[in-house]
């Protein structure tokens, strides 16, 4: 592929990502994607034959990103457990902050197209099966030494993901409810990031 062709394909994918994330599959239009990418409609179909083909490419990339974000939530092996989890929560939150439309997009597409859930499940399951075993061992060893509470790694991951993702999905609803707390979006999400860290630390530390 020539550099020019690569640039055109990249522009189409970037435009398609914005279109799909904001409008979903059903609402996305290839004419809008082509216009945003600066290519003709015919050229878009030359690179990607159908809207479905473009969507599958975007979805595959986003599923990979989601899988990586799940792995990031448990931090880097080798660090002390609490430091590892703190870093993991921060990395996961920062990933969602950089991709705030992604969780809603994934949830909506899975609800609208249950067949896509199986593809997502298989991909994430491959990424998480070994991780859960390794993290559970670290949690169990820490609990046996009396340093932390006994915790199920799966429930802990659910806590982290839920606390990190919910504010981004619900922000349009939270904004009028919470008033001045959400007036400065950047400040609000900095607070939420720290609140999540503190909540998880309280959950696992020995009392």
């Amino acid at each position: 592929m020539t550099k020019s062709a690569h640039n055109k394909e990249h522009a189409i994918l970037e435009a398609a990502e914005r279109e799909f994330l904001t409008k979903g599959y059903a609402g996305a239009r290839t004419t809008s994607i082509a216009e945003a990418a600066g290519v003709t409609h015919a050229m878009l179909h030359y690179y990607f034959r159908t809207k479905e083909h473009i969507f599958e490419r975007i979805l595959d990339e986003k599923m990979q990103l989601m899988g990586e974000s799940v792995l990031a939530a448990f931090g880097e092996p080798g660090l002390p457990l609490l430091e590892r989890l703190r870093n993991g929560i921060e990395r996961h939150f920062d990933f969602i902050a950089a991709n705030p439309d992604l969780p809603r997009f994934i949830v909506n597409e899975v609800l609208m197209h249950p067949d896509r859930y199986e593809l997502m499940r298989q991909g994430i399951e491959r990424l998480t099966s070994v991780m859960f075993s390794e993290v559970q061992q670290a949690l169990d060893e820490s609990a046996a030494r009396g340093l932390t509470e006994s915790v199920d790694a799966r429930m802990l991951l659910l806590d982290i993901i839920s606390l990190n993702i919910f504010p981004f999905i619900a922000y349009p609803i939270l904004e009028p409810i919470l008033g001045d707390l959400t007036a400065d979006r950047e400040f609000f999400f900095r607070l939420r990031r720290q609140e999540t860290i503190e909540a998880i630390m309280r959950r696992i530390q020995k009392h």
Side-chain angles (χ1 to χ4, degrees):
M1 181 183 293
T2 67
K3 184 176 181 180
S4 175
H6 176 78
N7 290 342
K8 286 185 174 67
E9 181 179 291
H10 182 70
I12 291 169
L13 288 172
E14 281 194 335
E17 179 177 328
R18 292 192 296 271
E19 183 81 359
F20 286 127
L21 286 178
T22 55
K23 300 179 182 178
Y25 179 79
R29 296 289 179 268
T30 53
T31 51
S32 299
I33 295 170
E35 182 179 355
V39 301
T40 65
H41 198 232
M43 186 174 289
L44 181 144
H45 284 288
Y46 171 78
Y47 286 100
F48 301 95
R49 293 195 303 274
T50 66
K51 184 171 86 167
E52 180 69 22
H53 285 145
I54 306 174
F55 179 77
E56 287 176 356
R57 174 78 171 268
I58 299 296
L59 188 63
D60 286 346
E61 290 178 358
K62 293 308 173 188
M63 290 298 188
Q64 180 66 30
L65 283 174
M66 284 295 285
E68 290 171 3
S69 82
V70 170
L71 293 176
F74 274 147
E76 299 178 18
L79 292 173
L81 182 61
L82 295 183
E83 182 182 349
R84 173 182 179 176
L85 291 175
R86 179 182 295 274
N87 289 349
I89 294 165
E90 291 175 345
R91 287 171 59 194
H92 182 257
F93 189 96
D94 292 345
F95 170 83
I96 300 300
N99 299 272
D101 296 321
L102 183 58
R104 188 184 300 110
F105 168 76
I106 296 292
V107 169
N108 287 342
E109 291 305 322
V110 167
L111 291 176
M112 294 295 292
H113 304 278
D115 53 305
R116 291 187 180 126
Y117 168 74
E118 183 59 23
L119 294 175
M120 181 183 71
R121 187 193 65 77
Q122 291 175 7
I124 292 180
E125 188 174 50
R126 286 194 297 271
L127 289 168
T128 58
S129 58
V130 174
M131 177 192 69
F132 277 133
S133 176
E134 187 272 327
V135 173
Q136 189 64 64
Q137 181 178 349
L139 288 167
D140 290 345
E141 289 175 355
S142 181
R145 292 161 57 195
L147 301 176
T148 56
E149 297 286 352
S150 180
V151 180
D152 187 313
R154 296 164 298 180
M155 293 299 290
L156 183 60
L157 179 65
L158 182 59
D159 289 340
I160 293 170
I161 291 176
S162 300
L163 288 168
N164 275 346
I165 288 180
F166 179 76
F168 292 96
I169 292 180
Y171 187 77
I173 301 171
L174 296 175
E175 196 172 10
I177 295 173
L178 300 181
D180 61 351
L181 182 60
T182 55
D184 183 331
R185 181 186 174 94
E186 185 177 338
F187 176 72
F188 170 71
F189 283 115
R190 282 204 306 271
L191 285 180
R192 285 309 311 163
R193 187 178 189 262
Q194 188 58 37
E195 284 285 337
T196 297
I197 293 170
E198 292 176 4
I200 295 299
M201 293 300 107
R202 287 195 297 270
R203 166 69 181 88
I204 66 173
Q205 286 179 316
K206 200 73 175 177
H207 301 295

